mmCIF file with all atom_site columns, all heavy atoms in Angstrom:
data_model
loop_
_atom_site.group_PDB
_atom_site.id
_atom_site.type_symbol
_atom_site.label_atom_id
_atom_site.label_alt_id
_atom_site.label_comp_id
_atom_site.label_asym_id
_atom_site.label_entity_id
_atom_site.label_seq_id
_atom_site.pdbx_PDB_ins_code
_atom_site.Cartn_x
_atom_site.Cartn_y
_atom_site.Cartn_z
_atom_site.occupancy
_atom_site.B_iso_or_equiv
_atom_site.pdbx_formal_charge
_atom_site.auth_seq_id
_atom_site.auth_comp_id
_atom_site.auth_asym_id
_atom_site.auth_atom_id
_atom_site.pdbx_PDB_model_num
ATOM 1   N N   . MET L 1 1  ? 25.139 28.642 -35.815 1.00 96.00 ? 1  MET L N   1
ATOM 2   C CA  . MET L 1 1  ? 24.309 28.624 -36.975 1.00 96.00 ? 1  MET L CA  1
ATOM 3   C C   . MET L 1 1  ? 24.773 29.556 -38.033 1.00 96.00 ? 1  MET L C   1
ATOM 4   O O   . MET L 1 1  ? 25.587 30.486 -37.757 1.00 96.00 ? 1  MET L O   1
ATOM 5   C CB  . MET L 1 1  ? 22.849 28.996 -36.579 1.00 96.00 ? 1  MET L CB  1
ATOM 6   C CG  . MET L 1 1  ? 22.276 28.201 -35.431 1.00 96.00 ? 1  MET L CG  1
ATOM 7   S SD  . MET L 1 1  ? 20.669 28.809 -34.895 1.00 96.00 ? 1  MET L SD  1
ATOM 8   C CE  . MET L 1 1  ? 20.301 27.738 -33.521 1.00 96.00 ? 1  MET L CE  1
ATOM 9   N N   . HIS L 1 2  ? 24.281 29.346 -39.238 1.00 96.00 ? 2  HIS L N   1
ATOM 10  C CA  . HIS L 1 2  ? 24.718 30.235 -40.312 1.00 96.00 ? 2  HIS L CA  1
ATOM 11  C C   . HIS L 1 2  ? 24.446 31.733 -40.006 1.00 96.00 ? 2  HIS L C   1
ATOM 12  O O   . HIS L 1 2  ? 25.221 32.626 -40.349 1.00 96.00 ? 2  HIS L O   1
ATOM 13  C CB  . HIS L 1 2  ? 24.085 29.849 -41.638 1.00 96.00 ? 2  HIS L CB  1
ATOM 14  C CG  . HIS L 1 2  ? 24.464 30.718 -42.805 1.00 96.00 ? 2  HIS L CG  1
ATOM 15  N ND1 . HIS L 1 2  ? 25.757 30.730 -43.307 1.00 96.00 ? 2  HIS L ND1 1
ATOM 16  C CD2 . HIS L 1 2  ? 23.751 31.623 -43.517 1.00 96.00 ? 2  HIS L CD2 1
ATOM 17  C CE1 . HIS L 1 2  ? 25.838 31.548 -44.346 1.00 96.00 ? 2  HIS L CE1 1
ATOM 18  N NE2 . HIS L 1 2  ? 24.657 32.117 -44.488 1.00 96.00 ? 2  HIS L NE2 1
ATOM 19  N N   . LYS L 1 3  ? 23.360 31.960 -39.308 1.00 95.00 ? 3  LYS L N   1
ATOM 20  C CA  . LYS L 1 3  ? 22.963 33.317 -38.977 1.00 95.00 ? 3  LYS L CA  1
ATOM 21  C C   . LYS L 1 3  ? 23.880 34.004 -38.034 1.00 95.00 ? 3  LYS L C   1
ATOM 22  O O   . LYS L 1 3  ? 23.837 35.187 -37.799 1.00 95.00 ? 3  LYS L O   1
ATOM 23  C CB  . LYS L 1 3  ? 21.507 33.366 -38.458 1.00 95.00 ? 3  LYS L CB  1
ATOM 24  C CG  . LYS L 1 3  ? 21.346 32.685 -37.151 1.00 95.00 ? 3  LYS L CG  1
ATOM 25  C CD  . LYS L 1 3  ? 19.866 32.793 -36.682 1.00 95.00 ? 3  LYS L CD  1
ATOM 26  C CE  . LYS L 1 3  ? 19.666 32.101 -35.379 1.00 95.00 ? 3  LYS L CE  1
ATOM 27  N NZ  . LYS L 1 3  ? 18.247 32.192 -34.897 1.00 95.00 ? 3  LYS L NZ  1
ATOM 28  N N   . ASP L 1 4  ? 24.764 33.191 -37.413 1.00 97.00 ? 4  ASP L N   1
ATOM 29  C CA  . ASP L 1 4  ? 25.742 33.770 -36.447 1.00 97.00 ? 4  ASP L CA  1
ATOM 30  C C   . ASP L 1 4  ? 26.949 34.351 -37.192 1.00 97.00 ? 4  ASP L C   1
ATOM 31  O O   . ASP L 1 4  ? 27.823 34.960 -36.568 1.00 97.00 ? 4  ASP L O   1
ATOM 32  C CB  . ASP L 1 4  ? 26.235 32.701 -35.481 1.00 97.00 ? 4  ASP L CB  1
ATOM 33  C CG  . ASP L 1 4  ? 25.134 32.227 -34.586 1.00 97.00 ? 4  ASP L CG  1
ATOM 34  O OD1 . ASP L 1 4  ? 24.351 33.053 -34.071 1.00 97.00 ? 4  ASP L OD1 1
ATOM 35  O OD2 . ASP L 1 4  ? 25.059 30.984 -34.307 1.00 97.00 ? 4  ASP L OD2 1
ATOM 36  N N   . THR L 1 5  ? 26.997 34.180 -38.519 1.00 98.00 ? 5  THR L N   1
ATOM 37  C CA  . THR L 1 5  ? 28.077 34.742 -39.269 1.00 98.00 ? 5  THR L CA  1
ATOM 38  C C   . THR L 1 5  ? 28.084 36.250 -39.189 1.00 98.00 ? 5  THR L C   1
ATOM 39  O O   . THR L 1 5  ? 27.094 36.895 -39.519 1.00 98.00 ? 5  THR L O   1
ATOM 40  C CB  . THR L 1 5  ? 28.006 34.266 -40.729 1.00 98.00 ? 5  THR L CB  1
ATOM 41  O OG1 . THR L 1 5  ? 28.157 32.873 -40.833 1.00 98.00 ? 5  THR L OG1 1
ATOM 42  C CG2 . THR L 1 5  ? 29.053 34.953 -41.603 1.00 98.00 ? 5  THR L CG2 1
ATOM 43  N N   . ALA L 1 6  ? 29.170 36.799 -38.720 1.00 98.00 ? 6  ALA L N   1
ATOM 44  C CA  . ALA L 1 6  ? 29.250 38.268 -38.559 1.00 98.00 ? 6  ALA L CA  1
ATOM 45  C C   . ALA L 1 6  ? 30.663 38.604 -38.113 1.00 98.00 ? 6  ALA L C   1
ATOM 46  O O   . ALA L 1 6  ? 31.478 37.754 -37.794 1.00 98.00 ? 6  ALA L O   1
ATOM 47  C CB  . ALA L 1 6  ? 28.253 38.766 -37.496 1.00 98.00 ? 6  ALA L CB  1
ATOM 48  N N   . VAL L 1 7  ? 30.935 39.902 -38.093 1.00 98.00 ? 7  VAL L N   1
ATOM 49  C CA  . VAL L 1 7  ? 32.135 40.391 -37.455 1.00 98.00 ? 7  VAL L CA  1
ATOM 50  C C   . VAL L 1 7  ? 31.743 40.670 -36.032 1.00 98.00 ? 7  VAL L C   1
ATOM 51  O O   . VAL L 1 7  ? 30.769 41.364 -35.687 1.00 98.00 ? 7  VAL L O   1
ATOM 52  C CB  . VAL L 1 7  ? 32.608 41.703 -38.098 1.00 98.00 ? 7  VAL L CB  1
ATOM 53  C CG1 . VAL L 1 7  ? 33.863 42.222 -37.340 1.00 98.00 ? 7  VAL L CG1 1
ATOM 54  C CG2 . VAL L 1 7  ? 33.003 41.427 -39.567 1.00 98.00 ? 7  VAL L CG2 1
ATOM 55  N N   . TYR L 1 8  ? 32.532 40.107 -35.069 1.00 98.00 ? 8  TYR L N   1
ATOM 56  C CA  . TYR L 1 8  ? 32.251 40.261 -33.701 1.00 98.00 ? 8  TYR L CA  1
ATOM 57  C C   . TYR L 1 8  ? 33.171 41.265 -33.062 1.00 98.00 ? 8  TYR L C   1
ATOM 58  O O   . TYR L 1 8  ? 34.406 41.210 -33.260 1.00 98.00 ? 8  TYR L O   1
ATOM 59  C CB  . TYR L 1 8  ? 32.401 38.914 -32.968 1.00 98.00 ? 8  TYR L CB  1
ATOM 60  C CG  . TYR L 1 8  ? 31.235 37.945 -33.223 1.00 98.00 ? 8  TYR L CG  1
ATOM 61  C CD1 . TYR L 1 8  ? 31.015 37.404 -34.496 1.00 98.00 ? 8  TYR L CD1 1
ATOM 62  C CD2 . TYR L 1 8  ? 30.284 37.664 -32.225 1.00 98.00 ? 8  TYR L CD2 1
ATOM 63  C CE1 . TYR L 1 8  ? 29.956 36.541 -34.731 1.00 98.00 ? 8  TYR L CE1 1
ATOM 64  C CE2 . TYR L 1 8  ? 29.221 36.873 -32.484 1.00 98.00 ? 8  TYR L CE2 1
ATOM 65  C CZ  . TYR L 1 8  ? 29.052 36.300 -33.713 1.00 98.00 ? 8  TYR L CZ  1
ATOM 66  O OH  . TYR L 1 8  ? 27.956 35.474 -33.961 1.00 98.00 ? 8  TYR L OH  1
ATOM 67  N N   . TYR L 1 9  ? 32.617 42.155 -32.272 1.00 98.00 ? 9  TYR L N   1
ATOM 68  C CA  . TYR L 1 9  ? 33.359 43.216 -31.638 1.00 98.00 ? 9  TYR L CA  1
ATOM 69  C C   . TYR L 1 9  ? 33.173 43.169 -30.126 1.00 98.00 ? 9  TYR L C   1
ATOM 70  O O   . TYR L 1 9  ? 32.088 42.804 -29.630 1.00 98.00 ? 9  TYR L O   1
ATOM 71  C CB  . TYR L 1 9  ? 32.860 44.603 -32.138 1.00 98.00 ? 9  TYR L CB  1
ATOM 72  C CG  . TYR L 1 9  ? 32.947 44.845 -33.619 1.00 98.00 ? 9  TYR L CG  1
ATOM 73  C CD1 . TYR L 1 9  ? 31.867 44.483 -34.439 1.00 98.00 ? 9  TYR L CD1 1
ATOM 74  C CD2 . TYR L 1 9  ? 34.055 45.492 -34.140 1.00 98.00 ? 9  TYR L CD2 1
ATOM 75  C CE1 . TYR L 1 9  ? 31.970 44.769 -35.810 1.00 98.00 ? 9  TYR L CE1 1
ATOM 76  C CE2 . TYR L 1 9  ? 34.070 45.753 -35.465 1.00 98.00 ? 9  TYR L CE2 1
ATOM 77  C CZ  . TYR L 1 9  ? 33.048 45.373 -36.306 1.00 98.00 ? 9  TYR L CZ  1
ATOM 78  O OH  . TYR L 1 9  ? 33.120 45.611 -37.694 1.00 98.00 ? 9  TYR L OH  1
ATOM 79  N N   . CYS L 1 10 ? 34.205 43.571 -29.416 1.00 97.00 ? 10 CYS L N   1
ATOM 80  C CA  . CYS L 1 10 ? 34.062 43.794 -27.986 1.00 97.00 ? 10 CYS L CA  1
ATOM 81  C C   . CYS L 1 10 ? 34.213 45.271 -27.718 1.00 97.00 ? 10 CYS L C   1
ATOM 82  O O   . CYS L 1 10 ? 34.804 45.987 -28.511 1.00 97.00 ? 10 CYS L O   1
ATOM 83  C CB  . CYS L 1 10 ? 35.007 42.964 -27.169 1.00 97.00 ? 10 CYS L CB  1
ATOM 84  S SG  . CYS L 1 10 ? 36.745 43.316 -27.438 1.00 97.00 ? 10 CYS L SG  1
ATOM 85  N N   . ALA L 1 11 ? 33.692 45.674 -26.591 1.00 96.00 ? 11 ALA L N   1
ATOM 86  C CA  . ALA L 1 11 ? 33.777 47.131 -26.269 1.00 96.00 ? 11 ALA L CA  1
ATOM 87  C C   . ALA L 1 11 ? 33.550 47.280 -24.757 1.00 96.00 ? 11 ALA L C   1
ATOM 88  O O   . ALA L 1 11 ? 33.097 46.378 -24.045 1.00 96.00 ? 11 ALA L O   1
ATOM 89  C CB  . ALA L 1 11 ? 32.686 47.884 -26.991 1.00 96.00 ? 11 ALA L CB  1
ATOM 90  N N   . VAL L 1 12 ? 33.981 48.460 -24.255 1.00 95.00 ? 12 VAL L N   1
ATOM 91  C CA  . VAL L 1 12 ? 33.835 48.776 -22.894 1.00 95.00 ? 12 VAL L CA  1
ATOM 92  C C   . VAL L 1 12 ? 32.529 49.475 -22.644 1.00 95.00 ? 12 VAL L C   1
ATOM 93  O O   . VAL L 1 12 ? 32.176 50.388 -23.403 1.00 95.00 ? 12 VAL L O   1
ATOM 94  C CB  . VAL L 1 12 ? 34.993 49.730 -22.411 1.00 95.00 ? 12 VAL L CB  1
ATOM 95  C CG1 . VAL L 1 12 ? 34.785 50.155 -20.972 1.00 95.00 ? 12 VAL L CG1 1
ATOM 96  C CG2 . VAL L 1 12 ? 36.321 49.027 -22.577 1.00 95.00 ? 12 VAL L CG2 1
ATOM 97  N N   . ARG L 1 13 ? 31.786 49.032 -21.684 1.00 95.00 ? 13 ARG L N   1
ATOM 98  C CA  . ARG L 1 13 ? 30.506 49.668 -21.368 1.00 95.00 ? 13 ARG L CA  1
ATOM 99  C C   . ARG L 1 13 ? 30.726 50.825 -20.440 1.00 95.00 ? 13 ARG L C   1
ATOM 100 O O   . ARG L 1 13 ? 31.343 50.665 -19.341 1.00 95.00 ? 13 ARG L O   1
ATOM 101 C CB  . ARG L 1 13 ? 29.538 48.644 -20.790 1.00 95.00 ? 13 ARG L CB  1
ATOM 102 C CG  . ARG L 1 13 ? 28.191 49.321 -20.318 1.00 95.00 ? 13 ARG L CG  1
ATOM 103 C CD  . ARG L 1 13 ? 27.038 48.377 -20.240 1.00 95.00 ? 13 ARG L CD  1
ATOM 104 N NE  . ARG L 1 13 ? 27.260 47.217 -19.375 1.00 95.00 ? 13 ARG L NE  1
ATOM 105 C CZ  . ARG L 1 13 ? 27.113 47.253 -18.079 1.00 95.00 ? 13 ARG L CZ  1
ATOM 106 N NH1 . ARG L 1 13 ? 26.765 48.351 -17.433 1.00 95.00 ? 13 ARG L NH1 1
ATOM 107 N NH2 . ARG L 1 13 ? 27.323 46.112 -17.394 1.00 95.00 ? 13 ARG L NH2 1
ATOM 108 N N   . ARG L 1 14 ? 30.276 51.981 -20.802 1.00 91.00 ? 14 ARG L N   1
ATOM 109 C CA  . ARG L 1 14 ? 30.382 53.203 -19.994 1.00 91.00 ? 14 ARG L CA  1
ATOM 110 C C   . ARG L 1 14 ? 29.081 53.591 -19.355 1.00 91.00 ? 14 ARG L C   1
ATOM 111 O O   . ARG L 1 14 ? 29.075 54.344 -18.381 1.00 91.00 ? 14 ARG L O   1
ATOM 112 C CB  . ARG L 1 14 ? 30.943 54.358 -20.854 1.00 91.00 ? 14 ARG L CB  1
ATOM 113 C CG  . ARG L 1 14 ? 32.228 54.116 -21.554 1.00 91.00 ? 14 ARG L CG  1
ATOM 114 C CD  . ARG L 1 14 ? 33.384 53.920 -20.551 1.00 91.00 ? 14 ARG L CD  1
ATOM 115 N NE  . ARG L 1 14 ? 34.654 53.786 -21.241 1.00 91.00 ? 14 ARG L NE  1
ATOM 116 C CZ  . ARG L 1 14 ? 35.809 53.638 -20.647 1.00 91.00 ? 14 ARG L CZ  1
ATOM 117 N NH1 . ARG L 1 14 ? 35.879 53.567 -19.306 1.00 91.00 ? 14 ARG L NH1 1
ATOM 118 N NH2 . ARG L 1 14 ? 36.932 53.542 -21.332 1.00 91.00 ? 14 ARG L NH2 1
ATOM 119 N N   . GLY L 1 15 ? 28.024 53.119 -19.944 1.00 88.00 ? 15 GLY L N   1
ATOM 120 C CA  . GLY L 1 15 ? 26.699 53.478 -19.404 1.00 88.00 ? 15 GLY L CA  1
ATOM 121 C C   . GLY L 1 15 ? 26.133 52.282 -18.568 1.00 88.00 ? 15 GLY L C   1
ATOM 122 O O   . GLY L 1 15 ? 26.756 51.240 -18.442 1.00 88.00 ? 15 GLY L O   1
ATOM 123 N N   . PRO L 1 16 ? 24.905 52.422 -18.112 1.00 90.00 ? 16 PRO L N   1
ATOM 124 C CA  . PRO L 1 16 ? 24.298 51.403 -17.289 1.00 90.00 ? 16 PRO L CA  1
ATOM 125 C C   . PRO L 1 16 ? 23.828 50.190 -18.105 1.00 90.00 ? 16 PRO L C   1
ATOM 126 O O   . PRO L 1 16 ? 23.604 50.335 -19.324 1.00 90.00 ? 16 PRO L O   1
ATOM 127 C CB  . PRO L 1 16 ? 23.136 52.154 -16.615 1.00 90.00 ? 16 PRO L CB  1
ATOM 128 C CG  . PRO L 1 16 ? 22.799 53.144 -17.589 1.00 90.00 ? 16 PRO L CG  1
ATOM 129 C CD  . PRO L 1 16 ? 24.064 53.633 -18.191 1.00 90.00 ? 16 PRO L CD  1
ATOM 130 N N   . ARG L 1 17 ? 23.707 49.099 -17.453 1.00 90.00 ? 17 ARG L N   1
ATOM 131 C CA  . ARG L 1 17 ? 23.218 47.873 -18.073 1.00 90.00 ? 17 ARG L CA  1
ATOM 132 C C   . ARG L 1 17 ? 21.848 48.089 -18.692 1.00 90.00 ? 17 ARG L C   1
ATOM 133 O O   . ARG L 1 17 ? 21.480 47.451 -19.735 1.00 90.00 ? 17 ARG L O   1
ATOM 134 C CB  . ARG L 1 17 ? 23.219 46.710 -17.108 1.00 90.00 ? 17 ARG L CB  1
ATOM 135 C CG  . ARG L 1 17 ? 22.496 45.501 -17.526 1.00 90.00 ? 17 ARG L CG  1
ATOM 136 C CD  . ARG L 1 17 ? 23.215 44.665 -18.607 1.00 90.00 ? 17 ARG L CD  1
ATOM 137 N NE  . ARG L 1 17 ? 24.458 44.099 -18.119 1.00 90.00 ? 17 ARG L NE  1
ATOM 138 C CZ  . ARG L 1 17 ? 24.527 42.989 -17.384 1.00 90.00 ? 17 ARG L CZ  1
ATOM 139 N NH1 . ARG L 1 17 ? 23.436 42.375 -16.986 1.00 90.00 ? 17 ARG L NH1 1
ATOM 140 N NH2 . ARG L 1 17 ? 25.761 42.572 -16.963 1.00 90.00 ? 17 ARG L NH2 1
ATOM 141 N N   . SER L 1 18 ? 21.071 48.950 -18.075 1.00 91.00 ? 18 SER L N   1
ATOM 142 C CA  . SER L 1 18 ? 19.694 49.118 -18.536 1.00 91.00 ? 18 SER L CA  1
ATOM 143 C C   . SER L 1 18 ? 19.614 49.604 -19.997 1.00 91.00 ? 18 SER L C   1
ATOM 144 O O   . SER L 1 18 ? 18.664 49.336 -20.691 1.00 91.00 ? 18 SER L O   1
ATOM 145 C CB  . SER L 1 18 ? 18.959 50.192 -17.652 1.00 91.00 ? 18 SER L CB  1
ATOM 146 O OG  . SER L 1 18 ? 19.651 51.408 -17.665 1.00 91.00 ? 18 SER L OG  1
ATOM 147 N N   . ILE L 1 19 ? 20.660 50.282 -20.459 1.00 87.00 ? 19 ILE L N   1
ATOM 148 C CA  . ILE L 1 19 ? 20.669 50.744 -21.866 1.00 87.00 ? 19 ILE L CA  1
ATOM 149 C C   . ILE L 1 19 ? 20.737 49.535 -22.783 1.00 87.00 ? 19 ILE L C   1
ATOM 150 O O   . ILE L 1 19 ? 20.159 49.537 -23.891 1.00 87.00 ? 19 ILE L O   1
ATOM 151 C CB  . ILE L 1 19 ? 21.859 51.662 -22.130 1.00 87.00 ? 19 ILE L CB  1
ATOM 152 C CG1 . ILE L 1 19 ? 21.673 52.942 -21.309 1.00 87.00 ? 19 ILE L CG1 1
ATOM 153 C CG2 . ILE L 1 19 ? 22.015 51.943 -23.616 1.00 87.00 ? 19 ILE L CG2 1
ATOM 154 C CD1 . ILE L 1 19 ? 22.808 53.958 -21.479 1.00 87.00 ? 19 ILE L CD1 1
ATOM 155 N N   . VAL L 1 20 ? 21.421 48.503 -22.372 1.00 88.00 ? 20 VAL L N   1
ATOM 156 C CA  . VAL L 1 20 ? 21.545 47.287 -23.204 1.00 88.00 ? 20 VAL L CA  1
ATOM 157 C C   . VAL L 1 20 ? 20.223 46.673 -23.479 1.00 88.00 ? 20 VAL L C   1
ATOM 158 O O   . VAL L 1 20 ? 19.919 46.146 -24.540 1.00 88.00 ? 20 VAL L O   1
ATOM 159 C CB  . VAL L 1 20 ? 22.486 46.313 -22.553 1.00 88.00 ? 20 VAL L CB  1
ATOM 160 C CG1 . VAL L 1 20 ? 22.681 45.068 -23.430 1.00 88.00 ? 20 VAL L CG1 1
ATOM 161 C CG2 . VAL L 1 20 ? 23.880 46.967 -22.295 1.00 88.00 ? 20 VAL L CG2 1
ATOM 162 N N   . THR L 1 21 ? 19.384 46.700 -22.483 1.00 85.00 ? 21 THR L N   1
ATOM 163 C CA  . THR L 1 21 ? 18.054 46.046 -22.612 1.00 85.00 ? 21 THR L CA  1
ATOM 164 C C   . THR L 1 21 ? 16.932 46.968 -23.049 1.00 85.00 ? 21 THR L C   1
ATOM 165 O O   . THR L 1 21 ? 15.802 46.581 -23.119 1.00 85.00 ? 21 THR L O   1
ATOM 166 C CB  . THR L 1 21 ? 17.680 45.401 -21.279 1.00 85.00 ? 21 THR L CB  1
ATOM 167 O OG1 . THR L 1 21 ? 17.606 46.382 -20.238 1.00 85.00 ? 21 THR L OG1 1
ATOM 168 C CG2 . THR L 1 21 ? 18.683 44.343 -20.874 1.00 85.00 ? 21 THR L CG2 1
ATOM 169 N N   . SER L 1 22 ? 17.281 48.265 -23.292 1.00 81.00 ? 22 SER L N   1
ATOM 170 C CA  . SER L 1 22 ? 16.272 49.187 -23.718 1.00 81.00 ? 22 SER L CA  1
ATOM 171 C C   . SER L 1 22 ? 16.031 49.102 -25.199 1.00 81.00 ? 22 SER L C   1
ATOM 172 O O   . SER L 1 22 ? 16.728 48.406 -25.922 1.00 81.00 ? 22 SER L O   1
ATOM 173 C CB  . SER L 1 22 ? 16.712 50.624 -23.263 1.00 81.00 ? 22 SER L CB  1
ATOM 174 O OG  . SER L 1 22 ? 17.783 51.064 -24.107 1.00 81.00 ? 22 SER L OG  1
ATOM 175 N N   . THR L 1 23 ? 15.058 49.892 -25.646 1.00 63.00 ? 23 THR L N   1
ATOM 176 C CA  . THR L 1 23 ? 14.765 49.899 -27.088 1.00 63.00 ? 23 THR L CA  1
ATOM 177 C C   . THR L 1 23 ? 15.726 50.807 -27.843 1.00 63.00 ? 23 THR L C   1
ATOM 178 O O   . THR L 1 23 ? 15.748 50.743 -29.081 1.00 63.00 ? 23 THR L O   1
ATOM 179 C CB  . THR L 1 23 ? 13.324 50.374 -27.294 1.00 63.00 ? 23 THR L CB  1
ATOM 180 O OG1 . THR L 1 23 ? 13.134 51.693 -26.724 1.00 63.00 ? 23 THR L OG1 1
ATOM 181 C CG2 . THR L 1 23 ? 12.329 49.418 -26.690 1.00 63.00 ? 23 THR L CG2 1
ATOM 182 N N   . SER L 1 24 ? 16.477 51.595 -27.123 1.00 72.00 ? 24 SER L N   1
ATOM 183 C CA  . SER L 1 24 ? 17.472 52.453 -27.800 1.00 72.00 ? 24 SER L CA  1
ATOM 184 C C   . SER L 1 24 ? 18.668 51.568 -28.217 1.00 72.00 ? 24 SER L C   1
ATOM 185 O O   . SER L 1 24 ? 18.758 50.435 -27.844 1.00 72.00 ? 24 SER L O   1
ATOM 186 C CB  . SER L 1 24 ? 17.911 53.612 -26.906 1.00 72.00 ? 24 SER L CB  1
ATOM 187 O OG  . SER L 1 24 ? 18.533 53.054 -25.714 1.00 72.00 ? 24 SER L OG  1
ATOM 188 N N   . ASP L 1 25 ? 19.557 52.162 -28.990 1.00 85.00 ? 25 ASP L N   1
ATOM 189 C CA  . ASP L 1 25 ? 20.717 51.443 -29.497 1.00 85.00 ? 25 ASP L CA  1
ATOM 190 C C   . ASP L 1 25 ? 21.667 51.093 -28.357 1.00 85.00 ? 25 ASP L C   1
ATOM 191 O O   . ASP L 1 25 ? 22.246 52.003 -27.766 1.00 85.00 ? 25 ASP L O   1
ATOM 192 C CB  . ASP L 1 25 ? 21.439 52.287 -30.562 1.00 85.00 ? 25 ASP L CB  1
ATOM 193 C CG  . ASP L 1 25 ? 22.541 51.587 -31.213 1.00 85.00 ? 25 ASP L CG  1
ATOM 194 O OD1 . ASP L 1 25 ? 22.809 50.382 -30.896 1.00 85.00 ? 25 ASP L OD1 1
ATOM 195 O OD2 . ASP L 1 25 ? 23.176 52.181 -32.131 1.00 85.00 ? 25 ASP L OD2 1
#
């Protein structure tokens, strides 16, 4: 979709998965 327009980045996760689903960044 048009809203998918963006720069896409990949990165290494160093913290737990729980951070991804938390309200923090």
Side-chain angles (χ1 to χ4, degrees):
M1 307 174 183
H2 180 67
K3 65 180 181 180
D4 295 318
T5 295
V7 177
Y8 285 71
Y9 302 88
C10 63
V12 176
R13 175 158 59 82
R14 304 294 186 180
R17 168 72 67 77
S18 60
I19 295 179
V20 180
T21 60
S22 71
T23 57
S24 62
D25 185 1

